[in-house]
Every structure is written in C-alpha cells, then in structure tokens.
Amino acid sequence: MLTAGPTHEKIDPVRFIGNYSSGKMGYAIAEELAERGAEVTLISGPTQLHVTHPSIHKISVESAKEMYAASMEHFDTMDAAIMAAAVADYAPENYASQKLKRDGEDLILRLVPNPDIAASLGAIKEKQILVGFALETQHAEANARKKIEKKNLDFVVLNSLENKGAGFQTDTNIISILHRNGEQQDYPLKSKRAVAVDIVDYLEKSL
Ligand code: C5P
C-alpha cells in the first residue's frame, strides 16, 4: 500500500490549503512494485498523474482525513505500507458551505491538526513493513531518526532540501535510507523512477 501526492484541505467550495507535492515519487514506486508482481493499493491525493498498470488499484482522496480513513481500512491485509504522501499537517477547523466573501476586514482561519497517518499505522502494525519519507531543511538525519521512533517506522527515505534536484515537483531525487537498526545508505542523484528501484530493492531485502 502506498500513499502519494498532496492533500487538499477545503476552506470553502472553491478554495483549499494544499502543497506543491506532484505525487511523482509515490507513483514511480507504485509502478516499480507492480512491475515486480505486487498488487498495489495506491491511496492518492489530487495529482495530474494516471496509472496504467493493471495491478495498481487507485483510491482517490482529497483531504488528509479521507486519506487516513482509506489507509486504516486497507492496512491490515498489506505486507508493507509506504507513506509517500505530503499530508497537510493542519486543516481549517470549519468548512464554509458558501464561498467566503471579501469584506475588507482581516480574515482569520483557525487550523486544527490532521491525524498523522504514518504514526497511526505504526501504532497498530503487526507484521507489516512501514516506510516513511522525511523532507528536512535542517538536521536532516537526526530528525529522520526521530521520525522512525515517533511513527514506529521500519525505515525512512530522507530527501534533504539542502540538495538541488531533490524533492517536490522535480523529476530527480537524492535520497538516503535510514533503517531503525542504525543502518544508513546514501544514494547519488537519480531520476525518480531509478530512485523507486532503489527503494523497492531495499524494501524487498526487508520483507
Ligand atoms: O512528520 P512528517 O510530516 O515530517 O513525516 C513525514 C512522513 O509521515 C511521511 O512519510 C508522510 O507521508 C507521513 N505523514 C502522514 N500523515 C501526516 C503527516 C505525515 O502519514 N499527517
């Protein structure tokens, strides 16, 4: 199972809070898994991407809460779950059912925390391998290791924004994989499709 893409948190019928995630990394991993014979459940936020492989079963969601519900529903039958989505940390507390009007005054939006999907799966996991992503701008490795503990991950794929060519919207990525056993593997700049091969190789070794 994979989560991928951004989430959109609705403000009113025509506005949302989102982020720049393209979904490319998650979809590339889904393709690689399917090509190796896996049945893949891809829980995807809104993206421009399409799946073609018949073994990828896509569930489209919009918000973090919907992504959480779909992930919790499917997790117990999975061998592994890869959390590649850029989940919004906060959502507007209230949804306005009519388009908000401009009235010249300040507009105050109160945001409330979204559920942490990876941590929720980490808390209930049995035999599943749980993989997280970390996108850090500073103290990358230390923060990634904290995530392993907090979310009960088996390993974390770290992309550092200090690296050019890594992260959101690009077709390339530079990653390190940090395992909960202390192991670390660094990889050079590659296309996201080639990075997906490295991640799935590493996952296969862990299964
Ligand atoms: O805590 P942080 O957002 O940095 O952690 C990133 C990892 O946690 C990613 O694997 C992301 O998909 C996952 N995550 C999640 N639910 C959230 C926030 C992050 O599954 N609400």
Side-chain angles (χ1 to χ4, degrees), residues 38-136:
E39 290 294 321
V40 182
T41 297
L42 173 64
I43 302 170
S44 176
T47 72
Q48 306 286 334
L49 305 175
H50 299 283
V51 294
T52 47
H53 200 292
S55 298
I56 303 178
H57 314 288
K58 178 167 162 177
I59 300 172
S60 294
V61 298
E62 194 171 341
S63 66
K65 285 196 189 74
E66 289 168 15
M67 188 175 275
Y68 169 83
S71 301
M72 293 296 273
E73 184 185 336
H74 293 281
F75 184 58
D76 68 335
T77 58
M78 299 293 155
D79 300 309
I82 303 178
M83 306 280 99
V87 184
D89 290 323
Y90 293 89
E93 183 175 37
N94 298 308
Y95 169 71
S97 57
Q98 303 298 327
K99 185 180 169 193
L100 292 176
K101 294 261 184 265
R102 176 179 44 217
D103 68 2
E105 297 292 314
D106 292 355
L107 173 69
I108 297 174
L109 268 184
R110 188 177 177 84
L111 304 178
V112 293
N114 272 328
D116 187 322
I117 302 165
S120 306
L121 300 184
I124 59 167
K125 84 172 171 155
E126 291 170 343
K127 291 203 178 113
Q128 297 95 332
I129 304 285
L130 185 60
V131 181
F133 273 73
L135 189 69
E136 300 292 337

Side-chain angles (χ1 to χ4, degrees), residues 5 7 17 20-21 29 36 45 70 79 102 105 119 128 131 152 191:
T7 65
I17 296 173
Y20 291 117
S21 168
I29 298 168
R36 293 195 200 188
D79 300 309
R102 176 179 44 217
E105 297 292 314
Q128 297 95 332
V131 181
N152 197 23
S191 70

